[in-house]
Amino acid sequence: IEKFFDGIDVVFINVKTADRYDYIMKALLVGKHVICNCPISNNTQKLITLLEIAKQNGVILIESLYLAYMQAFNQMMWMVESNVIGNCISVKYGISNSCLSTLTEDELKQYAAYVVYRICGNKSFKKFSVFQGKDKNNFYYNTILQYENIVIDIELGQSVTCGLTVRGEKGILKVPGEW
């Protein structure tokens, strides 16, 4: 693997979350910057260790969240934030790995969290409900978050209809399917 690292400065690691730690560690220990799908790790102690190793070696360890850089998403967020549709009152977000086939279950959760954060910021939700089902080959999560003036409904799963709908007091933004 040392030969692989010759002549490169940055490594993009795209393996299952459970398998990332060793790959990331090897790259950091030989002084390579690392970009990796999120989450970097589901284990807090492992994440802290990786961040410390990156700092000690003077390299960057960063998560890649494609959604944050998608022009369509950022245009939609501009419309929400500039009040084009009025005050946001509800969000329906569906995502499955049939829409984004390269994403793992953990990564789909990160995308959902990012959408909620961008729309609601650091506001505290009043109540929430979660339903989840999982077997060997399939998973399904439905989370409903109730904020003071906004309801967020998130569905993640194998057969979920992909799309994002943001409803405001004066209009609706709808991004169907694979956006």
Side-chain angles (χ1 to χ4, degrees), residues 67-106:
L67 186 62
Y69 305 102
M70 292 178 73
Q71 185 174 357
F73 180 74
N74 285 305
Q75 177 68 25
M76 187 206 68
M77 286 310 305
W78 173 83
M79 293 173 82
V80 170
E81 292 163 356
S82 63
N83 219 22
V84 168
I85 61 168
N87 291 323
C88 182
I89 56 176
S90 72
V91 176
K92 172 74 173 158
Y93 179 50
I95 188 169
S96 82
N97 55 2
S98 66
C99 296
L100 296 167
S101 61
T102 62
L103 297 181
T104 66
E105 181 179 337
D106 290 330

Side-chain angles (χ1 to χ4, degrees), residues 12 25 65 89 100 114 169:
F12 180 78
M25 182 61 79
L65 186 63
I89 56 176
L100 296 167
Y114 183 73
E169 295 169 328

Side-chain angles (χ1 to χ4, degrees), residues 67-152:
L67 186 62
Y69 305 102
M70 292 178 73
Q71 185 174 357
F73 180 74
N74 285 305
Q75 177 68 25
M76 187 206 68
M77 286 310 305
W78 173 83
M79 293 173 82
V80 170
E81 292 163 356
S82 63
N83 219 22
V84 168
I85 61 168
N87 291 323
C88 182
I89 56 176
S90 72
V91 176
K92 172 74 173 158
Y93 179 50
I95 188 169
S96 82
N97 55 2
S98 66
C99 296
L100 296 167
S101 61
T102 62
L103 297 181
T104 66
E105 181 179 337
D106 290 330
E107 292 162 349
L108 291 173
K109 291 176 188 175
Q110 293 290 329
Y111 274 70
Y114 183 73
V115 169
V116 171
Y117 172 75
R118 283 293 306 270
I119 292 173
C120 296
N122 291 327
K123 297 175 187 171
S124 296
F125 53 86
K126 291 184 169 197
K127 62 181 180 176
F128 70 96
S129 63
V130 176
F131 171 80
Q132 62 183 8
K134 189 173 184 177
D135 64 27
K136 284 184 180 179
N137 302 313
N138 297 302
F139 64 90
Y140 176 80
Y141 297 93
N142 182 229
T143 303
I144 298 174
L145 302 168
Q146 172 70 52
Y147 290 82
E148 188 170 326
N149 299 315
I150 304 171
V151 175
I152 309 257

Side-chain angles (χ1 to χ4, degrees), residues 3-59:
K3 188 173 182 171
F4 169 77
F5 289 124
D6 288 346
I8 62 170
D9 297 318
V10 180
V11 177
F12 180 78
I13 296 176
N14 185 19
V15 296
K16 291 181 181 178
T17 307
D19 300 332
R20 290 183 186 156
Y21 181 82
D22 291 335
Y23 289 105
I24 294 170
M25 182 61 79
K26 287 176 185 175
L28 295 174
L29 288 173
V30 295
K32 303 303 175 185
H33 302 286
V34 176
I35 302 171
C36 155
N37 285 339
C38 59
I40 290 172
S41 175
N42 287 331
N43 180 301
T44 303
Q45 189 54 52
K46 285 183 176 183
L47 176 60
I48 290 168
T49 299
L50 291 170
L51 292 169
E52 288 172 353
I53 296 295
K55 186 176 182 179
Q56 290 169 7
N57 288 297
V59 294

